[in-house]
Amino acid sequence: MAQGKHANEGPQPPSSDSALVRPSDQSQIDFEIEFFARILERFPDYVDVLRVQGNNLTRKGRFAEGLQIDKRLVQLRPADPLAHYNLACSYALLKRPDPAIKTLRRAVELGYRDFRYMREDRDLDSIRHDPRFRQLIREFENC
């Protein structure tokens, strides 16, 4: 099972606001964001592209946009524990602890079980010391 998206996977070159950026001036992730956005314009429910796009937006620090993608994925895949986990990460990155904990609980209820990763995932830093986070892990870790 994939662990979840990763917000800080190394430094990223600054993005350019120009629509006519030469490929050599554009980072790979910026290229992918533009490329996948065009695909999603035509196929808005393309789950695999939504997953990659949500990850890319998060890696670029575009958390609010990543949150919208993750909400869409949960709508399309309501029983998918990874979709819920990623949505919880987006809420946590935006420092919204209540929906982050609630959504993380739902991910675990649906079967997400990588508790070791959950304890280390930097996306969850804002809720890691919340008593509800610790309770959630205690409650489900030995199930």
Side-chain angles (χ1 to χ4, degrees), residues 20-26:
L20 301 173
V21 176
R22 292 189 314 266
S24 62
D25 293 340
Q26 184 182 39

Side-chain angles (χ1 to χ4, degrees), residues 11 19 24-25 34-38 64 73 79 100-101 108 110 117 126-127 135:
S24 62
D25 293 340
E34 289 181 27
F35 178 78
F36 291 128
R38 288 187 190 119
L73 280 165
I101 296 286
V108 173
L110 289 169
Y117 182 73
S126 72
I127 62 169
Q135 172 60 32

Side-chain angles (χ1 to χ4, degrees), residues 81-131:
L82 185 58
H84 285 81
Y85 181 83
N86 286 338
L87 179 57
C89 288
S90 286
Y91 282 127
L93 287 165
L94 289 164
K95 300 194 179 357
R96 296 178 59 191
D98 293 337
I101 296 286
K102 179 181 177 186
T103 308
L104 187 60
R105 175 172 287 280
R106 184 69 184 134
V108 173
E109 289 170 349
L110 289 169
Y112 189 89
R113 288 292 188 269
D114 195 344
F115 296 103
R116 188 178 81 191
Y117 182 73
M118 211 183 294
R119 282 188 184 94
E120 299 169 3
D121 188 350
R122 296 192 63 210
D123 290 353
L124 299 176
D125 282 352
S126 72
I127 62 169
R128 187 160 339 282
H129 299 293
D130 188 308

